[in-house]
Amino acid sequence: DESRREGRQPRVHPNGFLQLDLKPDTLSTGRHIAKRRLHIFDDSLPRQSVRTSVHDHIFEMSSYVVQGVVLNDTYRVVTDEQGDLEVYQAQEMKCTETNLVPSGRRVKLRLKHTEYVYPGETYHFPALEFHDSRHEGVAVTIMSKHATVANATPRVLVPVVAEPDNSFSREDQDI
């Protein structure tokens, strides 16, 4: 109820999980107060038609698993003219909406590590590194955003044989 009063509406991320902005973490130390989001991963939620789940963030983050199991795959991205993926940049349009724009850079992925994160555990992830978060069953996490890299743009990897689903709207999903 408080989130609705303060204008923080739940929305569906294009990768098929529910997001809800929470109050900032006032217990954070230092100059930065972490912005937090509740994430609910459930395969029954709507998602974009083209899977583009390997991405990076322009901020450092941590994610505390409340329920379920989260698998965090981390990747090394290698530039390759014959690569099967293209790097797209997420350009902000309005509010929480973005438009994926091709960079012309083709790449291949190399899996570095898969981390299984269980209820009561937290995983941390640096800015500008590529990853994909998967889940087993319904998973619930509290994600905290930390230091942001100035003048950076989030990146998403899209199969070269596909176009990203830029028509998916986070705000217009029936949940």
Side-chain angles (χ1 to χ4, degrees):
D1 289 337
E2 182 178 328
S3 292
R4 288 190 188 277
R5 282 195 305 275
E6 294 181 9
R8 297 188 308 259
Q9 296 293 320
R11 60 196 175 276
V12 178
H13 188 279
N15 287 335
F17 60 90
L18 194 63
Q19 293 180 310
L20 176 63
D21 295 321
L22 302 173
K23 282 187 167 185
D25 182 0
T26 57
L27 299 178
S28 294
T29 59
R31 293 176 292 159
H32 182 79
I33 296 177
K35 294 181 179 177
R36 301 180 314 153
R37 287 184 182 151
L38 179 73
H39 287 170
I40 300 173
F41 298 85
D42 183 337
D43 289 335
S44 70
L45 291 168
R47 67 177 54 234
Q48 60 193 351
S49 60
V50 175
R51 182 171 166 78
T52 58
S53 58
V54 178
H55 63 283
D56 70 0
H57 297 274
I58 61 169
F59 49 84
E60 296 174 12
M61 61 163 280
S62 58
S63 192
Y64 174 79
V65 178
V66 177
Q67 174 185 315
V69 178
V70 173
L71 291 76
N72 186 44
D73 297 323
T74 57
Y75 294 96
R76 183 168 61 96
V77 174
V78 180
T79 299
D80 183 333
E81 291 179 9
Q82 303 303 312
D84 56 349
L85 298 166
E86 182 174 356
V87 178
Y88 277 67
Q89 295 181 313
Q91 294 184 342
E92 188 174 327
M93 293 177 53
K94 62 177 176 110
C95 196
T96 62
E97 301 293 348
T98 57
N99 191 46
L100 297 180
V101 178
S103 69
R105 179 178 167 219
R106 288 177 71 160
V107 298
K108 286 187 178 181
L109 283 182
R110 302 285 185 258
L111 179 65
K112 291 194 310 190
H113 181 70
T114 298
E115 179 180 12
Y116 286 74
V117 191
Y118 298 94
E121 297 178 346
T122 301
Y123 72 90
H124 304 274
F125 205 71
L128 304 179
E129 296 288 326
F130 283 94
H131 81 123
D132 181 9
S133 294
R134 299 177 288 129
H135 60 95
E136 293 180 352
V138 174
V140 178
T141 66
I142 298 175
M143 187 270 291
S144 298
K145 297 167 74 171
H146 304 288
T148 299
V149 176
N151 301 317
T153 303
R155 299 170 296 173
V156 175
L157 302 184
V158 178
V160 294
V161 298
E163 290 287 324
D165 183 3
N166 281 324
S167 66
F168 187 94
S169 172
R170 298 169 196 242
E171 308 292 334
D172 294 337
Q173 301 304 313
D174 187 21
I175 51 173

